[in-house]
Amino acid sequence: MPIAIGSKAPDFTLKSKTATGLVEVKLSDHFGKTNTVLLFFPLAYTSVCTTEMCDVSNGLDSFPGANVIAISVDSPFAQEAWAKANNIKVTLASDLNKVVIKQYDVVFPMLAGVGDTAARAAFVIDKAGVVQYSEQTPTPKDLPNFEAIKAVLAKLK
């Protein structure tokens, strides 16, 4: 079960690769400033993950006032290449050591027999760092309920 609504969101600092080099993505940098949507996805370069991140990138304006961070167990270098190849504009963060997927309790064990990855999951974290929405999809092929995410964000403005 992913962490529950009303829980304090576990803070993290992960790496992201941008055109300027490796940068840190720290959840608590947004506390007191913006709401955050965390999207966990299994692996870059897979069809459902690519569709999800491209759709989110193309609809970033439908998450007004929210910072969107997508987390997978891929390396930041693989994430950057995937983002460039698919015009993904979402902030991607690498949980290569699988620490954050364990903190949020969204580990998908032995995906396709290749190893543990992130389950597909979504969280809305308010400006105070409290989880206001928590969802893990039934299977990695299922997408989060983006309408429910947007409804929660609309109430948090």
Side-chain angles (χ1 to χ4, degrees), residues 1 10 23 29 36 38-39 53 60 62 65-66 69 75 83 88 95 100 120 127 136 138 146 155-156:
M1 292 288 297
V23 297
D29 284 349
T36 301
L38 288 184
L39 299 173
M53 290 305 124
L60 277 175
S62 64
I69 301 171
S75 78
I88 295 169
D95 188 20
V100 178
R120 192 168 316 280
K127 294 175 187 176
Q136 180 176 329
F146 286 106
K155 292 178 186 174
L156 292 177

Side-chain angles (χ1 to χ4, degrees), residues 48 52 64 66 76-77 85 94:
V48 178
E52 177 185 14
F77 307 101
S94 171

Side-chain angles (χ1 to χ4, degrees), residues 3-100:
I3 60 170
I5 293 171
S7 301
K8 183 74 173 167
D11 195 14
F12 59 79
T13 302
L14 296 173
K15 297 291 186 186
S16 182
K17 177 71 173 67
T18 67
T20 59
L22 283 172
V23 297
E24 290 189 341
V25 176
K26 186 172 183 175
L27 178 62
S28 59
D29 284 349
H30 304 284
F31 293 173
K33 299 174 188 170
T34 60
N35 299 310
T36 301
V37 175
L38 288 184
L39 299 173
F40 289 86
F41 65 97
L43 292 168
Y45 292 102
T46 58
S47 62
V48 178
C49 296
T50 301
T51 297
E52 177 185 14
M53 290 305 124
C54 288
D55 288 352
V56 170
S57 290
N58 290 332
L60 277 175
D61 57 345
S62 64
F63 301 97
N67 180 51
V68 179
I69 301 171
I71 300 170
S72 75
V73 299
D74 299 288
S75 78
F77 307 101
Q79 288 177 339
E80 179 193 36
W82 177 59
K84 282 182 180 178
N86 293 284
N87 198 28
I88 295 169
K89 299 175 187 86
V90 175
T91 298
L92 299 175
S94 171
D95 188 20
L96 192 61
N97 294 322
K98 302 174 185 169
V99 172
V100 178

